Amino acid sequence: MAVTPAQPSSAADVDAAELSKLAAGSLERVAEARRQSGVRVLPLSTCRCSRAIHGDSSETFCYVHLLTNYDLSKVTGLEVLTQSAEDIDYADKPLLAVPVIITPLQGKDVKFVFAYFCCKAERDSLTHWCLVNSKGDAVTVIPSASGPGATPAWSVLPGRPCEQQTAAAAGSQHELRALWLCMPLADKVQVVSFGRDLRELTAKCHAAMCELRAASQRLAALGMRTDLKDCVLVSSVEFFMCERTHQVKGMTFGPKLIGRADLWEVMERALP
């Protein structure tokens, strides 16, 4: 199953090395406030910030490249301090430096903080994250369900968001194939039969098939062999006709195709 590449959003895509120096004071103030509560917070330098939308998802992921070799798989959650964000001018473009606290696995008394740089209009959409360390190792951090008034919960997944999408697609396809193998042939045929609300599409498919057969006959008259039986999907299409109006009302793929053990491979080879 194809996965749509990440598409850049309209967000800031900045080299944050110089900006991190400007945000150092803000991070130190956050660290000092937490130290007064008995929690040690260590600042991390941000190398690059960007945002991207993956596939059909409506969520924008905040990418942060951090100057650290820390094993990010040990992260258990984030705290995005938008209320502590500070204005920073970058190439005549106003940006926000938003402090983000990382909670490690054993992070009751020690945490990390970094600055994420974004446009002001994006300060309320900092919910989905991808953290990358100096080795190129990445984790995806997304919010998980939590009850009203509860501390926000996070799911930390290994790899980048596109890798999560690929894994999810592979898992869904595996489940679909397993379900398909358990279905009786009659149920399989019913599943791939359609019409009703798709009658307009069905009529177009029927017209295309009629034209294809006519073209095949014209080529045959010229001595060119064009056996549609060699086209597995085309030769397997069956149409349902209305006895009263003689118009096509539905279509399906025949049992000969649906019952094939290599059906999935046939369908994948037919994809453009």
Side-chain angles (χ1 to χ4, degrees):
M1 183 177 294
V3 175
T4 306
Q7 301 297 324
S9 73
S10 59
D13 186 351
V14 299
D15 186 342
E18 294 184 7
L19 291 176
S20 288
K21 299 176 183 178
L22 299 176
S26 174
L27 298 185
E28 182 56 36
R29 285 189 286 275
V30 170
E32 178 60 28
R34 294 303 171 102
R35 276 195 289 269
Q36 294 179 5
S37 302
V39 179
R40 185 184 180 194
V41 178
L42 305 177
L44 296 177
S45 294
T46 304
C47 298
R48 189 168 187 81
C49 296
S50 61
R51 288 160 69 89
I53 298 174
H54 291 271
D56 297 328
S57 172
S58 60
E59 300 295 346
T60 301
F61 284 85
C62 305
Y63 279 72
V64 187
H65 293 255
L66 299 170
L67 189 60
T68 179
N69 288 327
Y70 179 73
D71 182 3
L72 295 173
S73 66
K74 296 179 180 179
V75 171
T76 60
L78 302 176
E79 186 178 352
V80 185
L81 305 178
T82 53
Q83 72 278 9
S84 300
E86 294 191 359
D87 295 328
I88 290 182
D89 288 329
Y90 173 76
D92 297 327
K93 184 177 183 180
L95 297 176
L96 284 179
V98 181
V100 181
I101 292 179
I102 294 177
T103 303
L105 185 61
Q106 304 295 333
K108 182 178 180 180
D109 299 321
V110 179
K111 298 186 179 183
F112 302 102
V113 63
F114 65 87
Y116 179 75
F117 302 98
C118 64
C119 301
K120 291 184 177 181
E122 299 159 349
R123 68 182 299 163
D124 296 326
S125 61
L126 311 180
T127 56
H128 291 60
W129 296 82
C130 178
L131 310 181
V132 187
N133 66 12
S134 299
K135 298 178 181 179
D137 299 329
V139 293
T140 297
V141 186
I142 57 177
S144 57
S146 58
T151 302
W154 298 87
S155 295
V156 181
L157 308 171
R160 290 169 170 77
C162 57
E163 297 169 346
Q164 303 302 326
Q165 192 176 25
T166 300
S172 297
Q173 188 179 49
H174 178 75
E175 293 176 2
L176 183 59
R177 290 193 181 200
L179 176 62
W180 183 263
L181 289 174
C182 299
M183 292 175 62
L185 180 59
D187 290 347
K188 293 179 180 178
V189 173
Q190 185 176 3
V191 166
V192 297
S193 302
F194 59 93
R196 297 176 184 172
D197 295 339
L198 297 175
R199 285 191 178 183
E200 183 177 351
L201 174 61
T202 303
K204 290 181 179 179
C205 291
H206 182 259
M209 286 292 296
C210 291
E211 176 57 30
L212 184 61
R213 292 193 179 97
S216 176
Q217 292 173 359
R218 290 194 295 269
L219 290 174
L222 296 174
M224 301 176 65
R225 180 179 178 276
T226 55
D227 192 348
L228 293 181
K229 292 181 180 180
D230 295 335
C231 304
V232 179
L233 295 182
V234 171
S235 61
S236 299
V237 175
E238 299 177 3
F239 293 94
F240 308 119
M241 308 300 294
C242 177
E243 296 182 359
R244 183 175 58 84
T245 62
H246 303 290
Q247 293 182 341
V248 62
K249 64 178 183 178
M251 62 180 287
T252 187
F253 289 101
K256 185 176 180 180
L257 171 67
I258 301 305
R260 288 182 59 149
D262 62 342
L263 173 64
W264 291 95
E265 288 71 18
V266 171
M267 300 296 287
E268 289 178 355
R269 288 197 297 269
L271 292 174

